[in-house]
Amino acid sequence: MPTAFHIELAVSAANEPAADMPEKWADSLKVHATKINERRLFVIGSSEDYLQKLAEPSHKEWTPMLESGFVSKSERDATGISNAHKKNLDKSYNDYTEKLDTVFETVDGVEAKRFKEAIDNSKHIWARAVTEGVLRFTGDKIRGRGPAVIAPYWMTDYAKAEAMLREGDVAIEGAPYNIAYNGQRTAFRAAIQQKLIQAGMQILHSDFNTAMIDAQNSVIRDILNNNSDPVKRVAFVYPYDPASSFCGYVSNGPVFYLKVRILIP
């Protein structure tokens, strides 16, 4: 079976975002401050909305994290803790809405002044977060895209995909090749990119735990098999099999990269 392509894409070390990125992030939020508040009020404009759309779903998501046999130091069992949690959520609507109304209040003639000030004061936090995480997988337009962006472009035969390779990336064999269903390249890229970012972040957060790498690469395998045209590629397999297509993160000491190998039936 011929190889369409085989590439290895480096996950870069943590880099500071381009100088204008925190400013663009802040400006975008500040410009849309009024619209953000309007949407907030549209979605949760009453205590009933708050209960149905926020409090109750939050409680349902939180409750399973309690072990059924757990007993607190104050001798409350899991049922008692869960009931107290729900009651506190149910009573928190006024606190929720008053705090947000204050944040978006017009002050000194400036709409949402406190919200905008908070955004300006958070630019360094946003920059640190993307530096240590998502930017390592997405890259940026100025210094080059990251592996989670490059790989889907190679898998959809994007005209400029080869030129996207950076220092540290290796094109071992072949050229970009489309495995998406006809007419679905854009949707394919969006789905695969999102999963590659999410998987990479979870691996980072686990400090390259082997079980986490296996779990995330297995999900990548399944998403690719479900979203690509089986007529155009040999099925994806994990762990690596030289007779099958492969896409997954590899951690080898200090080296962390995304390996993609597409075989043609």
Side-chain angles (χ1 to χ4, degrees):
M1 289 175 288
T3 299
F5 69 80
H6 180 185
I7 56 175
E8 293 181 354
L9 306 172
V11 177
S12 66
N15 291 315
E16 290 292 328
D20 64 340
M21 288 178 67
E23 295 298 332
K24 288 182 177 178
W25 169 79
D27 288 346
S28 176
L29 287 174
K30 290 189 294 183
V31 165
H32 294 99
T34 300
K35 185 175 291 185
I36 290 170
N37 190 42
E38 289 173 350
R39 289 177 176 173
R40 187 261 304 187
L41 293 171
F42 178 78
V43 175
I44 302 179
S46 67
S47 58
E48 289 77 14
D49 290 337
Y50 179 81
L51 289 174
Q52 294 175 8
K53 299 178 181 179
L54 191 60
E56 292 178 2
S58 296
H59 178 68
K60 288 179 180 178
E61 290 290 329
W62 176 83
T63 299
M65 292 188 288
L66 268 179
E67 294 185 8
S68 58
F70 177 77
V71 178
S72 71
K73 291 181 180 179
S74 60
E75 299 189 356
R76 286 194 300 176
D77 63 13
T79 299
I81 294 171
S82 177
N83 290 340
H85 180 262
K86 185 175 187 307
K87 182 64 69 174
N88 287 334
L89 279 175
D90 290 348
K91 295 189 299 182
S92 62
Y93 170 73
N94 287 338
D95 290 338
Y96 161 86
T97 192
E98 286 172 8
K99 288 178 181 178
L100 286 177
D101 285 346
T102 298
V103 166
F104 286 100
E105 184 180 13
T106 296
V107 178
D108 299 329
V110 179
E111 285 187 302
K113 182 179 180 180
R114 296 185 183 95
F115 174 81
K116 294 173 181 176
E117 289 174 343
I119 293 300
D120 281 331
N121 292 333
S122 299
K123 285 185 285 191
H124 68 289
I125 299 173
W126 179 88
R128 184 170 63 242
V130 299
T131 293
E132 296 172 354
V134 68
L135 200 62
R136 298 180 65 179
F137 301 97
T138 63
D140 60 54
K141 292 181 180 179
I142 297 173
R143 291 166 299 188
R145 295 300 193 181
V149 177
I150 296 172
Y153 275 114
W154 269 71
M155 288 188 274
T156 51
D157 194 17
Y158 179 62
K160 299 179 181 179
E162 288 184 274
M164 297 173 76
L165 296 180
R166 311 148 298 159
E167 182 178 354
D169 296 334
V170 182
I172 297 170
E173 184 178 0
Y177 173 79
N178 179 34
I179 63 171
Y181 285 101
N182 293 340
Q184 295 189 20
R185 293 193 203 199
T186 301
F188 174 89
R189 283 198 293 263
I192 304 308
Q193 176 180 316
Q194 183 60 36
K195 183 57 216 176
L196 290 175
I197 294 169
Q198 184 185 65
M201 290 292 293
Q202 293 200 54
I203 292 170
L204 279 185
H205 292 160
S206 75
D207 291 326
F208 308 103
N209 177 270
T210 300
M212 180 60 74
I213 293 174
D214 289 343
Q216 293 305 311
N217 282 345
S218 295
V219 175
I220 292 170
R221 171 202 64 203
D222 294 343
I223 288 178
L224 280 167
N225 280 331
N226 290 334
N227 288 275
S228 60
D229 189 341
V231 174
K232 299 177 181 178
R233 50 76 182 152
V234 175
F236 287 86
V237 168
Y238 181 80
Y240 177 73
D241 179 349
S244 303
S245 296
F246 178 87
C247 179
Y249 286 104
V250 178
S251 177
N252 181 15
V255 179
F256 184 38
Y257 63 93
L258 178 68
K259 178 176 180 174
V260 187
R261 184 167 183 259
I262 307 296
L263 298 187
I264 303 172

